[in-house]
Amino acid sequence: MTAEPVAHGVRDPGAEWYDRLPLPVWGADGAGRITFVNAAWSDVTGPEGSRVGVPFTQAVHPDDRAAALAAWEQAQRSGQPYRAQFRLRRHDGAYRTVQADGRPHLDPQGGGPTWVTMCTDIHDHAQEHHELASRAAMLQDIVDANADCIKVLSPDARLMSMNVGGMRVMEVDDFNACLNAVWPEFWQGDTRPLVEAALAAARAGGVGRFEGYCPTLKGSPRWWDVTITPIRNTSGEIVNLLATSRDITARRQSETALRDLNAELEARVNARTRDLNDTVTQLQRSNTELERFAYIAAHDLQEPIRTVTSFADILASRYAAQLDARGLKYLEFVQSGAGRMKSLVDDLLTYSRLTHIRPSLGPLEMAEPFEEALGRLRGRLGETGATVTHGALPGVLGDGPQLAQVFQNLIGNAVKFARPGVPPRVHLEAHQDGEFWRVTVADNGIGMDAQYLKRIFEMFQRLHSRDEYEGTGLGLSVCQKIVEAHGGTIWASSEPGTGSTFTFTLRAALPPPPAGETGAAP
């Protein structure tokens, strides 16, 4: 489309030259009415936007018209070039952002000036700028919404900016009050060297971090976890520093409260431990005194018991014929009671000696104390028809007489608690378990309920009356005392009507060979 003539009929002298320009050009009078357009303008806006005599704002986006017209009127008043950005409607109805630059051209015939305006399409650039601005605004909103105090510092650590959330937590009403303030000066005491070290790390291209105390601008106490990182330009040069301060006051208060509570609890535990140690010491002293008393009493009771037993035996041998049936029965009661008393005193003395005399441990063959125990029980074994068998008996570290006592008590109990009409059978086995031998003594007796398996090792604990089974209730206590003095443990398993198994551990006389080694080298 060729350039149109001005409204009053005079053709612009440069009209043909404007048609050769690739950019849209239009002329307008002082009121902003189009006087001519070039071909490029017509191609962009179409016939609707190229009509002469209508305001050029008809082709401008409605939302941009007021600003475009205001800039036009300002140019008219000042005589300065017209410059504006607005969205121009294309012939297809789409809008493109353009940069409009216009200058006045005088009419050689004396009419008013014609404003010739050239439009440059900056739509893509404007869109990119708009997107960047939107993205920057979004990022700023995110930073402002952050509860941490985010600050930009100059390389010499002066405050340049602070996010809205940071102003709230730092109680800053007006950032201008601290703009260009030297940030490290807010930190005092022991924290100041930490601040300088973190700044030095960030200036060197690293990350600086510290925790410290710094009150807010209004004096509220606060503890902060601070991270400082460098801000670089497109060339990689450090231009500023970014400092992020997180309020950790609640955490520090909790840590302080927890430390105080731990200190209080530790003090209570120490006090309680002292009380318990005092109680344990008193109990140990009482136990020692009771054991000493039991030993002395048992020892001193031996002579009276021997006297009663001796005179009861004399009465039975010399004067039994002179006693009637009741007298003989009374004499039997005396002899039986004296016998039980002697057994009890003997067991008490044995138990007391175990407390005061440590066993003399040395290498020995387990067969030795085992055979000694069988010798002591030979009579009873013969009377009951009991059978005692055993597997291989190893060498252990132990005290021979004391281990003989253990075997005597365990085998004796197996014989004593036999099932009626069933000959007792006792079997002894030993299996190595690391540095220990695990020794089991199993029988086929009456057994017991599982609830009594710990109680039977306590002193004077009996599961049956003396009328059913004789004994003092000390035999298993003595076994436990001896085994523990040898560095081992003892326990029992049982099933009523089937039998019981007693297991105890003793240290091996020789350590076990290393894994994979079966014998000595030739």
Side-chain angles (χ1 to χ4, degrees), residues 19-100:
D19 279 339
R20 291 195 292 269
L21 291 177
L23 298 177
V25 177
W26 50 272
D29 59 18
R33 294 186 296 269
I34 294 177
T35 59
F36 74 90
V37 296
N38 72 344
W41 174 274
S42 298
D43 290 341
V44 170
T45 62
E48 190 65 27
S50 303
R51 290 186 296 116
V52 174
V54 299
F56 75 90
T57 53
Q58 289 294 106
V60 176
H61 192 285
D63 294 343
D64 298 344
R65 287 174 184 172
L69 186 58
W72 177 268
E73 292 173 348
Q74 175 64 24
Q76 300 302 310
R77 289 191 299 268
S78 65
Q80 297 296 318
Y82 172 65
R83 188 175 182 83
Q85 288 184 10
F86 49 78
R87 285 168 288 178
L88 184 67
R89 186 180 65 242
R90 291 169 51 88
H91 60 83
D92 58 2
Y95 285 91
R96 300 280 293 182
T97 302
V98 297
Q99 172 74 48

Side-chain angles (χ1 to χ4, degrees), residues 198-207 230 232 238 241:
L199 286 170
R203 291 185 183 116
V207 177
R232 302 177 185 271
I238 297 175
L241 303 174

Side-chain angles (χ1 to χ4, degrees), residues 252-315:
R252 292 297 291 254
Q253 290 173 342
S254 298
E255 290 174 352
T256 300
L258 183 60
R259 280 197 301 269
D260 293 343
L261 179 60
N262 286 338
E264 181 182 354
L265 289 175
E266 187 175 357
R268 289 183 180 181
V269 169
N270 290 337
R272 183 61 176 163
T273 301
R274 286 193 297 271
D275 293 343
L276 289 174
N277 289 337
D278 293 342
T279 302
V280 169
T281 301
Q282 294 174 4
L283 288 173
Q284 289 175 339
R285 186 182 302 115
S286 298
N287 286 339
T288 301
E289 292 173 354
L290 286 172
E291 289 171 354
R292 185 180 300 111
F293 171 77
Y295 180 79
I296 294 173
H299 184 273
D300 291 348
L301 283 172
Q302 284 185 309
E303 182 59 31
I305 291 173
R306 278 197 296 267
T307 301
V308 170
T309 302
S310 297
F311 278 98
D313 291 342
I314 292 173
L315 282 173

